Amino acid sequence: MKIMKKIATILTLFLLIVGTTACDDMLDDGVTTTAPKLSLVYPDGMEGMVIESERIEVKNISTGRSIIYTDQDDIELRLGLYDISYEAEMIDGNGDTYHMIGYKPSVTLTPTSRDVSIQLYQTVDNNDFIIQEVFFTGTLQSSGNSYVGDDYIKIYNNTDHVLYADGLSIVESKFVTTDKYDYDPDVMNEAMTVHAIYTIPGSGKEHPVQPGESLLICDTGIDHRTANPNSFDLSGADFEWYDVSTQPAHLDIDGPTVPNLDKWYCYTQSFFMLHNRGFKAWALARIPIDKDQYLANYLYRYNYTMVLPAGTFPMSQTAYKLLNAWIVDAVNCSVASNRAWNVTSPELDRGWAHCGEIDKDRNRFFHSVRRKLLFVKDGMAIYQDTNNSSADFNSDVVASEIELQGTAISANGTKATTVTYDGVTPVNPATPSSDQPK
């Protein structure tokens, strides 16, 4: 009997040991789990950074449920199919901090397959709108003459929550990227010098924009195909900038179906349109004071010297300064043959985009600069944002409205046949129209 009790005791201890070991790979309900091993792939030249903090979201594709982890070593999951999102603050050898993101869809975890490679991208931890596209070039008529009024800017909610567009300002720089002068006083490290400011009206929450949605803000909100069959329809735009002209020969058109932006200031006495050769910078801003206060307190008077073959001429001009702290996104544009500098602080933009290679390039028409796609997550496009327009934008690509409406891509009327996220990456033909870029 003693021998039987001893055997029973040994067997019990054995089962306890086995059971304890098994619990390392089982959930309470007896389902087998695994600990995925993340392999982070850094952008070129950014290897070896130290992770300061991280956030990993793991979504079970079968159940739709998500779990958030703040340490990759803590991840333990049932076997199955997952989407994995990665986000981290990292520090390089110089002590500079970078915001990195990555996404790996449809990861299958099995007992023998738990290695997950995630490509990382440097981005800006921006909690506001980004410029998705600037279409400044315009279209051509069948005669080859340029057509104006169909220029536009698209802004995009690249975050994971609702943003409100009320009070957001769209501005164009006073200075051009093709002429550099020593302006005195130099305020670039403090502010952007602007000559056009138009603001989305609203009391604060009148214009919600869902994650992955855009606002189309245009020059003239009409169906431009009536005047130019090679153009497209902007009568469904979200907003237009409209000017009450004091020049009878140059009157603006007020699109009857599109709400007007609130005009804070513009240099022209007729009507405003985006610089159609792209020698400017454009920005989005949240100005924390009202229009009257701004116009009264932020006038910028500056001097510079213009050197011409005919002589040297001291110049004095005025514009408005927009504090860098108020600017949420900016893009500089130029052309390689004439570019001289950026007209914003490097804090706002370290690069530049373009349509055309030379001044007055005839190939620029029908094209725009469009922000690059990083990846598509749960049907939502995630775009690159590093405050470097050379890296963040695709230059010289067909404008998105031309793609979406299938209108002309040249003066001879050849139609667009492909819809893309960013002028380069095609939208899956099977993707529902509600998921297509707007």
Side-chain angles (χ1 to χ4, degrees):
M1 183 64 106
K2 287 183 178 179
I3 294 175
M4 293 299 292
K5 286 183 177 179
K6 186 177 288 187
I7 292 172
T9 300
I10 292 171
L11 182 59
T12 301
L13 290 171
F14 175 78
L15 290 173
L16 285 171
I17 292 169
V18 173
T20 301
T21 303
C23 284
D24 289 338
D25 296 312
M26 304 279 285
L27 295 179
D28 292 340
D29 57 6
V31 177
T32 304
T33 66
T34 187
K37 182 182 178 182
L38 303 188
S39 175
L40 304 178
V41 181
Y42 292 83
D44 290 343
M46 303 187 74
E47 300 84 357
M49 292 198 296
V50 176
I51 299 173
E52 185 177 44
S53 63
E54 61 184 354
R55 181 182 183 274
I56 306 102
E57 179 182 355
V58 183
K59 180 180 179 182
N60 187 308
I61 294 177
S62 300
T63 65
R65 295 178 60 185
S66 294
I67 304 175
I68 306 295
Y69 296 91
T70 55
D71 188 332
Q72 57 184 285
D73 293 333
D74 294 339
I75 303 175
E76 186 174 0
L77 301 167
R78 300 168 184 259
L79 306 183
L81 190 61
Y82 294 89
D83 290 339
I84 301 178
S85 302
Y86 185 86
E87 187 172 357
E89 298 296 325
M90 298 187 180
I91 301 176
D92 68 6
N94 298 320
D96 296 325
T97 300
Y98 295 89
H99 187 73
M100 310 295 288
I101 63 172
Y103 178 62
K104 188 78 170 184
S106 303
V107 175
T108 301
L109 296 179
T110 70
T112 59
S113 177
R114 64 190 189 96
D115 292 335
V116 181
S117 176
I118 300 179
Q119 176 66 55
L120 297 184
Y121 304 92
Q122 179 196 350
T123 188
V124 176
D125 191 11
N126 183 11
N127 198 35
D128 214 320
F129 290 97
I130 58 174
I131 297 171
Q132 183 181 15
E133 178 183 13
V134 186
F135 176 63
F136 53 80
T137 61
T139 54
L140 293 174
Q141 302 175 65
S142 58
S143 63
N145 293 330
S146 62
Y147 176 81
V148 300
D150 52 7
D151 44 320
Y152 65 79
I153 293 176
K154 280 190 178 181
I155 65 174
Y156 186 77
N157 182 354
N158 209 38
T159 76
D160 60 359
H161 55 274
V162 175
L163 293 175
Y164 293 92
D166 308 49
L168 185 73
S169 295
I170 295 90
V171 307
E172 183 179 85
S173 65
K174 164 70 172 182
F175 302 150
V176 294
T177 57
T178 52
D179 287 314
K180 185 179 186 299
Y181 296 102
D182 293 325
Y183 297 106
D184 182 31
D186 180 2
V187 298
M188 186 175 288
N189 287 332
E190 167 198 346
M192 176 181 176
T193 304
V194 299
H195 69 174
I197 308 172
Y198 294 85
T199 302
I200 296 175
S203 58
K205 291 191 174 182
E206 294 180 30
H207 305 294
V209 181
Q210 300 297 321
E213 296 292 326
S214 300
L215 288 182
L216 173 57
I217 301 169
C218 70
D219 184 343
T220 306
I222 61 173
D223 187 346
H224 290 272
R225 294 172 300 181
T226 302
N228 176 21
N230 284 339
S231 188
F232 43 86
D233 186 4
L234 288 174
S235 64
D238 295 289
F239 294 98
E240 66 173 6
W241 56 85
Y242 171 71
D243 301 288
V244 177
S245 173
T246 60
Q247 306 294 316
H250 302 284
L251 299 177
D252 202 358
I253 298 172
D254 190 1
T257 61
V258 179
N260 293 334
L261 296 172
D262 181 9
K263 180 179 178 178
W264 279 35
Y265 172 77
C266 191
Y267 68 94
T268 180
Q269 295 183 351
S270 56
F271 57 85
F272 171 71
M273 61 182 185
L274 305 180
H275 190 285
N276 83 340
R277 289 175 286 162
F279 293 174
K280 298 283 187 173
W282 293 278
L284 306 178
R286 298 278 189 182
I287 304 176
I289 56 178
D290 65 33
K291 176 166 58 176
D292 292 338
Q293 287 179 296
Y294 175 78
L295 295 177
N297 294 300
Y298 287 88
L299 185 67
Y300 170 40
R301 301 180 185 277
Y302 58 92
N303 303 304
Y304 65 100
T305 301
M306 181 178 289
V307 180
L308 299 173
T312 299
F313 303 92
M315 307 292 291
S316 181
Q317 293 185 351
T318 62
Y320 279 90
K321 59 182 180 179
L322 188 69
L323 298 189
N324 293 340
W326 299 345
I327 295 174
V328 299
D329 196 28
V331 54
N332 283 264
C333 289
S334 196
V335 290
S337 64
N338 295 65
R339 180 179 179 273
W341 67 326
N342 271 11
V343 293
T344 64
S345 163
E347 172 191 3
L348 302 176
D349 189 9
R350 303 186 306 277
W352 58 284
H354 64 88
C355 284
E357 299 293 336
I358 61 174
D359 189 12
K360 301 178 182 177
D361 195 327
R362 295 288 294 178
N363 294 319
R364 76 186 188 277
F365 296 104
F366 301 94
H367 292 80
S368 68
V369 297
R370 296 171 63 178
R371 191 173 290 272
K372 291 180 180 177
L373 178 76
L374 283 182
F375 48 78
V376 179
K377 177 184 176 183
D378 296 332
M380 174 181 164
I382 306 296
Y383 289 96
Q384 180 165 310
D385 184 16
T386 66
N387 286 353
N388 180 350
S389 292
S390 298
D392 293 345
F393 282 83
N394 288 321
S395 294
D396 262 328
V397 293
V398 174
S400 64
E401 284 302 308
I402 291 175
E403 290 183 348
L404 290 168
Q405 298 185 34
T407 54
I409 59 173
S410 64
N412 64 17
T414 301
K415 300 293 192 290
T417 58
T418 302
V419 177
T420 67
Y421 287 102
D422 58 3
V424 174
T425 309
V427 173
N428 188 331
T431 301
S433 60
S434 61
D435 288 339
Q436 291 189 357
K438 295 183 178 181

